Amino acid sequence: MDFEKRKAATLASIRSSVTDKSPKGFLDEPIIPLLETINHHPSYFTTSSCSGRISILSQPKPKLNDSTKKKARGGSWLYITHDPADSDLVISLLFPSKSNQIDPIDQPSELVFRFEPLIIAVECKDLGSAQFLVALAISAGFRESGITSCGDGKRVIIAIRCSIRMEVPLGDTQKLMVSPEYVKFLVDIANEKMDANRKRTDGFGVALTSNGFKNPDANDVDEDDNYENLAGDHDSSINNGNLHPGLQQDLIPLSKLSIVGEPAEKLHLWGHSACTIDKTDRKEVIVFGGFGGFGRHARRNESLLLDPSCGTLRLIAVNDSPSARLGHTASMVGDFMFVIGGRADPLNILNDVWRLDISKGEWSSQRCIGSEFPPRHRHAAASVGSKVYIFGGLYNDKIVSSLHILDTKDLQWKEVEKQGQWPCARHSHAMVAYGSQLFMFGGYNGENVLNDLYSFDVQSSSWKLEVISGKWPHARFSHSMFVYKHIIGIIGGCPVSQNCQELTLLDLKHRLWRSVRLEFMNKELFVRSTASVLGDDLIVIGGGAACYAFGTKFSEPVKINLVQSVTLSENHVPPQPEDVYLESNKNNADLKTEMSFSQPWVIQLERKYAKFGKDILKSFGWLDLERKVYSNEKGLCICFPVTEKFSELFYEKQLLGMDLEGPEDDSLAKGLSLKDISSSAALNLLKEHGAKKLINVAFEAKKVAKSPLQRMREDITSILKQKGLPEELLDELPQKWERLGDIVVLPATSFKDPTWSSISDEVWCAVSKSLSANRLARQGRVEPNGTRDSTLEILVGDNGWVDHRENGILYSFDATKCMFSWGNLSEKLRMGNMACENEVVVDLFAGIGYFVLPFLVRAKARLVYACEWNPHAIEALRRNVEANSVSDRCIILEGDNRITAPKGVADRVNLGLIPSSEGSWVTAIQALRPEGGILHVHGNVKDSDESSWGEHVTKTLSDIARAEGRSWEVTVEHIEKVKWYAPRIRHLVADVRCR
């Protein structure tokens, strides 16, 4: 069996539901992404693995004169974990109570405590591949890695491993030779080794993705479905983000939608579908399926409803729904949404039809009749009346060009007979309905990216290839189309470099292409996204890409104002350039007139020669790097701006009568590089490849990127000069700032000189513009009162209410009245990762919900009592538990926690007050259940006093517990170092167990 067949068989067994030969029967979850990264590479597959484990092995003692190797003696696991070990559990297993004592066995067995690090066996395609992966593993810290099998006829196997193991005999099943304290000591050492093992494993994963392996975030993207990577680089040599050279065009802003309710990550999708509900009392977008989502990226079958007006995202609770898929279509017919086809997995292409009743929120599978509708994905669909029209798509390796019609009244399929100007087969195209016509643009035919526009008349059942005036859109696929009034819009698609900043609009009244530029916030990738029109807004959801080196990228949901877009496009009409071939048969007088150097020159080449021409221009210093390269003639040609040096040289060669039409230059054919040929030969090469010179060309200069700080400094400098004020005031400009929602918060030390107040309106306007801030504020100190009020000053804006999303949780608060701590991010994340599923938690200092929300949203606590006495914080807290859909599991207690806190109910109490929470330690002990629980005690401590603070916490809480009649053992299990609060002062959290 050859390598590919062995790999296919091995991967099939790994992904099947049948248990493997390991003791637990399946892969270790911590290293599944790492294994899939290796297995995605064509030269490797894993044959066995262990993520690292801590265990106690019970093994028969060797008999006298028995030469059997230790491994062959067999045995059984008394304890095994692939996570850090619980010392209490290990001790209870080794030292059981009398009631749990196990009857001794006749034949004693050795007990060995072990830690074993990660080990992976990998079969490699050849010796070179093996050597490469071994070197990569050794560089990541797995220094004992090596080739274990190779040679004539042998499979090439390597082992990835390191030496941070331990093995300690404990005694036997009849008598242990160690104490519980020593076992705890061993567990602590093993856990440290486990942590080091995890760090090395993570480092190895980074090394893989940095060396051409596919990132595990993209491990559910099918290679043969990833056309955005396979075909998206047709124009990789051309950096073309502009629309019309030479015209400074205003940018259309994108408004990011702030999502509440369900996690915003549920809209991190591509290949999904979206339809609109546009009624007087209901304006929502229905999203179904796709790849990505919350948590581990995978194909989805969730039905989501998004209200763009308020950002509310909710899940439609259904009993039955279509299977998980992507690349399907969804079409609205009345109050029903029809989902058709898609791809469930690489071997399962679908042709099923499902219907969603939007009024009832119920899915139902539809049994259709009529002509056969073959399975497909990446097709396009649009509805006219009661009929859904489906064109093109992909089935395995076959790209289709058929047009099918589903009549939703009688659920009958009909295939339209091909005639007239029928479009070629394609997939990943887009289609919309306008009146009684369908309009279809672009796609991919397996070889070329398309930019043709077809219309289909549903009454005559005929296709027509459209010819439209204006600048033709770039060729693209995996884009989106929409209809707004008399406008058809196109957004996004591949290749990304050409289409990422372009919104193309087809004016059907004037039959004219127009376009505007989009002001992107975060390099959005509108590839396989959806575009839905609600009122005057375009709602773009999802989109992204899976890149081999950089992982999976998803775009945030955004809103685009279409009134502004259409108005701007109508005011923008680019001039048409005049073009002239590079010819030399004109007289010198003509040349002098025509070759005026006051106008910028542009050289145009056919796309297939663009890379070659660009190399020549760059090699001789003729490419004008201050102007943008752009495409022309429906994307068939590429235009390169050239320098005055090129213009002068060209004029000189012509004027002196040098031959630009001579015999074909064969310098490159002789093996010479571009550096070795003359400028005359280079000019000849450009001419021979059909270069044209464009004159009277308006162009767009490349923008020099400036940082927000640079823009702010330039703007403020200009204001100071106009007002005749000293430039020394620039020393008070902030060097850093924070963002709370859409408020940019300047530090308290900025703009403190009284002089600023005389020009405050101009200054704050300039600062907010340079920092792209809707609202601007300046930080004040937190009031040293019991409620720790904020003194934030709003400089630009009406109020201080902000929405801030952190770790998937929405915090809403009035920043002028409530403080918000950035430094506690890691501690909030840690609390959210606690196992609190069946716990009651009491938070004695709840604030706006800093820790209350992580306990409820992330840690899934059964109930949280939230104590708070600041009325402004309580107002925000009530909003936050509602916005995060956890109000049913939270009881808010207003007032002094020493009076309001419940007693005897808590499994866990949080004391998140600094510099000290000691004033409520008695309250915390009283809140715990009679059998005890866990306290998270916050405090600010000098770095030299950290150990003594832990002892103080233990002793004081033990004394309080005894005074309250609790005979608990109080121990500090862990001290978390949250942040530096001040020089040599740390914010610490002690995890204290009372039992």
Side-chain angles (χ1 to χ4, degrees):
M1 184 184 294
D2 59 20
F3 176 84
E4 282 74 15
K5 290 181 179 179
R6 287 196 301 273
K7 178 172 182 175
T10 302
L11 296 187
S13 65
I14 289 175
R15 292 163 180 166
S16 72
S17 59
V18 179
T19 58
D20 58 35
K21 296 179 181 179
S22 64
K24 64 178 183 178
F26 50 90
L27 296 176
D28 296 344
E29 186 173 350
I31 58 168
I32 288 178
L34 179 65
L35 299 181
E36 292 188 343
T37 298
I38 296 172
N39 290 329
H40 266 91
H41 196 287
S43 298
Y44 307 102
F45 68 91
T46 57
T47 59
S48 64
S49 62
C50 176
S51 64
R53 63 191 178 194
I54 300 171
S55 63
I56 299 174
L57 178 65
S58 174
Q59 194 168 42
K61 286 187 174 182
K63 297 179 181 178
L64 197 61
N65 299 324
D66 187 358
S67 61
T68 305
K69 292 182 179 180
K70 184 195 302 184
K71 187 173 181 179
R73 299 205 310 263
S76 60
W77 301 109
L78 180 64
Y79 173 82
I80 186 170
T81 179
H82 296 273
D83 296 307
D86 184 335
S87 57
D88 293 335
L89 178 58
V90 173
I91 291 172
S92 66
L93 288 171
L94 293 173
F95 302 94
S97 61
K98 291 184 179 179
S99 58
N100 294 326
Q101 198 77 40
I102 301 173
D103 293 335
I105 56 178
D106 295 334
Q107 179 64 38
S109 296
E110 294 176 342
L111 294 180
V112 182
F113 182 88
R114 303 164 72 176
F115 168 76
E116 298 162 282
L118 171 115
I119 182 169
I120 304 175
V122 183
E123 180 171 347
C124 309
K125 193 169 187 177
D126 49 49
L127 190 58
S129 300
Q131 291 170 336
F132 174 77
L133 191 55
V134 167
L136 211 57
I138 291 174
S139 70
F142 292 95
R143 296 186 178 87
E144 289 194 356
S145 301
I147 299 174
T148 60
S149 170
C150 66
D152 294 337
K154 291 185 178 180
R155 298 161 60 188
V156 182
I157 306 289
I158 69 168
I160 298 168
R161 56 195 174 192
C162 65
S163 59
I164 53 172
R165 58 179 62 87
M166 66 182 289
E167 185 169 319
V168 181
L170 303 176
D172 59 36
T173 50
Q174 292 184 342
K175 184 178 181 181
L176 290 175
M177 306 303 293
V178 295
S179 65
E181 291 76 18
Y182 187 70
V183 171
K184 186 176 187 306
F185 172 71
L186 292 179
V187 171
D188 290 342
I189 294 176
N191 284 342
E192 290 177 3
K193 290 181 177 291
M194 179 67 83
D195 184 55
N197 178 66
R198 288 288 164 83
K199 289 179 180 177
R200 288 191 187 187
T201 304
D202 292 343
F204 183 42
V206 172
L208 291 175
T209 56
S210 299
N211 284 273
F213 287 71
K214 186 175 180 182
N215 189 287
D217 279 348
N219 56 19
D220 288 313
V221 182
D222 308 321
E223 295 294 337
D224 56 343
D225 189 36
N226 199 10
Y227 294 92
E228 287 69 28
N229 274 335
L230 297 175
D233 60 353
H234 283 258
D235 193 28
S236 59
S237 65
I238 306 299
N239 179 17
N240 180 29
N242 63 310
L243 295 179
H244 301 295
L247 294 176
Q248 295 296 327
Q249 188 181 1
D250 292 335
L251 302 182
I252 298 297
L254 306 184
S255 302
K256 181 180 175 182
L257 294 175
S258 296
I259 304 300
V260 297
E262 293 290 325
E265 292 84 353
K266 288 197 173 185
L267 293 180
H268 290 180
L269 300 164
W270 72 62
H272 55 291
S273 63
C275 290
T276 57
I277 303 174
D278 194 357
K279 299 185 176 182
T280 305
D281 59 342
R282 188 179 181 187
K283 295 184 180 296
E284 294 175 304
V285 179
I286 311 175
V287 179
F288 174 76
F291 171 85
F294 183 67
R296 183 173 173 79
H297 299 152
R299 296 176 188 82
R300 301 291 177 180
N301 69 336
E302 292 179 324
S303 307
L304 300 164
L305 276 174
L306 172 65
D307 185 343
S309 64
C310 59
T312 301
L313 180 67
R314 57 191 178 94
L315 184 67
I316 302 177
V318 293
N319 295 326
D320 193 15
S321 66
S323 60
R325 66 188 67 200
L326 75 161
H328 55 283
T329 58
S331 305
M332 289 296 296
V333 178
D335 287 337
F336 299 101
M337 181 175 79
F338 287 84
V339 167
I340 300 174
R343 180 179 174 123
D345 59 61
L347 301 178
N348 188 13
I349 311 302
L350 307 170
N351 65 344
D352 54 352
V353 177
W354 285 77
R355 187 184 73 177
L356 174 66
D357 187 328
I358 63 171
S359 60
K360 300 178 181 178
E362 295 178 354
W363 282 103
S364 58
S365 177
Q366 306 296 296
R367 298 186 61 181
C368 301
I369 58 175
S371 60
E372 178 186 5
F373 177 69
R376 65 189 67 197
H377 65 116
R378 288 178 173 260
H379 49 286
S383 60
V384 177
S386 64
K387 296 179 179 179
V388 178
Y389 295 78
I390 305 282
F391 183 86
L394 186 63
Y395 177 56
N396 294 331
D397 294 329
K398 183 181 180 182
I399 304 174
V400 298
S401 62
S402 59
L403 175 63
H404 287 76
I405 305 173
L406 174 65
D407 191 330
T408 59
K409 289 182 178 179
D410 56 10
L411 295 176
Q412 181 166 324
W413 280 111
K414 175 187 175 183
E415 182 175 0
V416 178
E417 182 180 352
K418 292 184 178 181
Q419 57 181 351
Q421 295 180 317
W422 198 270
C424 69
R426 65 190 68 203
H427 68 77
S428 306
H429 48 296
M431 187 166 69
V432 294
Y434 179 80
S436 62
Q437 285 186 301
L438 308 177
F439 286 87
M440 181 176 71
F441 181 84
Y444 184 59
N445 66 5
E447 295 182 357
N448 298 306
V449 182
L450 306 173
N451 71 336
D452 48 5
L453 177 70
Y454 280 89
S455 64
F456 180 80
D457 189 309
V458 300
Q459 296 175 347
S460 63
S461 291
S462 60
W463 284 103
K464 177 186 176 184
L465 179 61
E466 295 286 351
V467 178
I468 305 293
S469 301
K471 185 178 186 301
W472 202 272
H474 294 296
R476 68 188 75 195
F477 66 103
S478 295
H479 51 286
S480 303
M481 293 180 70
F482 61 89
V483 176
Y484 173 67
K485 299 181 179 178
H486 61 281
I487 302 291
I488 289 178
I490 303 173
I491 187 170
C494 273
V496 174
S497 61
Q498 292 184 349
N499 304 310
C500 64
Q501 284 189 288
E502 184 180 67
L503 176 61
T504 302
L505 303 173
L506 171 56
D507 185 333
L508 292 174
K509 283 186 178 179
H510 301 93
R511 295 186 62 79
L512 179 67
W513 287 113
R514 308 180 192 274
S515 52
V516 293
R517 298 186 65 194
L518 302 175
E519 183 177 27
F520 277 33
M521 302 176 294
N522 189 32
K523 301 292 184 184
E524 284 79 3
L525 292 173
F526 293 147
V527 178
R528 304 191 78 180
S529 58
T530 56
S532 307
V533 176
L534 273 178
D536 292 323
D537 290 323
L538 179 67
I539 313 300
V540 183
I541 295 174
C547 304
Y548 289 101
F550 303 104
T552 305
K553 158 75 176 175
F554 292 98
S555 297
E556 300 291 339
V558 298
K559 181 166 59 176
I560 301 171
N561 184 280
L562 291 175
V563 174
Q564 183 181 3
S565 302
V566 172
T567 302
L568 186 59
S569 72
E570 290 173 348
N571 294 332
H572 178 69
V573 182
Q576 296 299 313
E578 177 187 349
D579 61 307
V580 179
Y581 284 92
L582 291 183
E583 295 179 344
S584 60
N585 57 354
K586 298 186 179 181
N587 61 46
N588 292 347
D590 293 337
L591 287 170
K592 289 179 181 178
T593 303
E594 180 184 333
M595 298 180 189
S596 171
F597 306 140
S598 61
Q599 292 293 328
W601 282 37
V602 169
I603 297 301
Q604 176 178 294
L605 285 162
E606 290 183 50
R607 179 180 289 273
K608 60 183 177 181
Y609 300 128
K611 180 68 168 63
F612 175 75
K614 183 180 180 182
D615 288 343
I616 291 178
L617 295 173
K618 287 184 69 176
S619 179
F620 285 88
W622 297 337
L623 184 65
D624 187 347
L625 299 178
E626 295 183 357
R627 293 185 286 152
K628 288 187 176 182
V629 176
Y630 63 97
S631 63
N632 204 2
E633 298 185 6
K634 300 183 182 180
L636 297 177
C637 295
I638 303 300
C639 299
F640 297 98
V642 291
T643 61
E644 187 172 324
K645 175 183 175 182
F646 175 89
S647 307
E648 291 174 346
L649 177 68
F650 183 80
Y651 172 67
E652 177 187 344
K653 299 296 183 186
Q654 297 260 37
L655 195 60
L656 295 177
M658 299 188 69
D659 184 19
L660 293 182
E661 290 188 335
E664 187 171 320
D665 194 289
D666 61 350
S667 301
L668 298 183
K670 295 175 181 176
L672 298 177
S673 70
L674 288 175
K675 295 180 180 179
D676 299 325
I677 66 174
S678 67
S679 57
S680 297
L683 286 172
N684 274 337
L685 286 171
L686 289 173
K687 174 187 158 303
E688 289 160 7
H689 287 81
K692 293 180 182 179
K693 177 176 69 69
L694 304 185
I695 61 176
N696 298 326
V697 177
F699 66 91
E700 182 173 358
K702 285 187 176 179
K703 294 182 180 179
V704 178
K706 294 181 181 179
S707 70
L709 182 58
Q710 289 175 313
R711 295 197 301 266
M712 183 200 309
R713 192 173 187 87
E714 289 178 1
D715 293 345
I716 299 302
T717 299
S718 176
I719 293 173
L720 293 179
K721 287 181 178 179
Q722 290 176 9
K723 301 295 182 181
L725 296 173
E727 289 193 4
E728 287 77 8
L729 289 172
L730 294 173
D731 294 339
E732 294 191 357
L733 264 60
Q735 301 301 306
K736 60 181 181 179
W737 45 87
E738 297 176 343
R739 285 188 182 269
L740 286 175
D742 65 341
I743 298 182
V744 170
V745 182
L746 306 177
T749 55
S750 61
F751 300 104
K752 295 302 291 181
D753 191 292
T755 306
W756 293 111
S757 61
S758 64
I759 54 173
S760 59
D761 289 346
E762 295 163 274
V763 168
W764 303 144
C765 180
V767 172
S768 59
K769 181 180 179 181
S770 63
L771 302 184
S772 301
N774 293 328
R775 291 182 288 172
L776 188 69
R778 183 167 51 198
Q779 187 63 269
R781 294 188 178 275
V782 176
E783 291 286 2
N785 54 15
T787 55
R788 291 175 59 78
D789 293 333
S790 169
T791 57
L792 192 78
E793 176 190 3
I794 295 292
L795 305 174
V796 176
D798 298 330
N799 62 71
W801 276 97
V802 295
D803 290 334
H804 173 69
R805 184 170 292 276
E806 188 177 272
N807 296 330
I809 297 171
L810 180 68
Y811 294 91
S812 179
F813 57 98
D814 188 340
T816 65
K817 298 176 181 177
C818 301
M819 54 84 67
F820 187 86
S821 175
W822 294 92
N824 293 344
L825 175 63
S826 63
E827 183 62 11
K828 286 180 276 189
L829 185 61
R830 190 172 78 96
M831 291 297 104
N833 289 330
M834 294 287 174
C836 301
E837 286 84 354
N838 297 309
E839 290 187 354
V840 174
V841 179
V842 173
D843 191 335
L844 294 179
F845 304 97
I848 66 171
Y850 309 108
F851 297 103
V852 169
L853 294 172
F855 279 130
L856 289 168
V857 177
R858 292 296 189 195
K860 306 298 183 184
R862 177 160 57 90
L863 180 66
V864 174
Y865 290 92
C867 303
E868 179 56 46
W869 66 3
N870 183 339
H872 304 303
I874 289 174
E875 180 185 3
L877 178 59
R878 294 189 191 281
R879 291 174 61 159
N880 290 335
V881 294
E882 288 287 346
N884 289 278
S885 304
V886 292
S887 58
D888 58 327
R889 293 186 284 124
C890 182
I891 298 175
I892 298 175
L893 303 172
E894 185 171 359
D896 189 331
N897 62 42
R898 291 167 293 189
I899 300 172
T900 63
K903 297 180 179 181
V905 300
D907 299 287
R908 190 183 301 267
V909 179
N910 192 58
L911 297 101
L913 179 66
I914 54 175
S916 175
S917 59
E918 194 163 350
S920 292
W921 286 5
V922 172
T923 306
I925 291 291
Q926 293 172 343
L928 287 176
R929 295 160 60 89
E931 54 268 33
I934 297 175
L935 306 176
H936 300 292
V937 182
H938 292 238
N940 283 350
V941 184
K942 288 183 63 175
D943 56 357
S944 58
D945 297 338
E946 290 178 12
S947 59
S948 59
W949 180 73
E951 295 169 0
H952 168 70
V953 170
T954 303
K955 183 179 183 306
T956 305
L957 290 174
S958 296
D959 293 343
I960 294 172
R962 281 196 297 273
E964 293 294 325
R966 305 296 191 192
S967 56
W968 292 335
E969 177 188 359
V970 179
T971 56
V972 174
E973 294 188 331
H974 172 72
I975 294 181
E976 181 74 10
K977 298 176 181 178
V978 178
K979 64 179 183 293
W980 287 105
Y981 183 81
R984 303 198 65 185
I985 303 293
R986 277 193 189 274
H987 176 184
L988 302 179
V989 179
D991 296 342
V992 182
R993 184 176 292 276
C994 304
R995 56 183 169 212

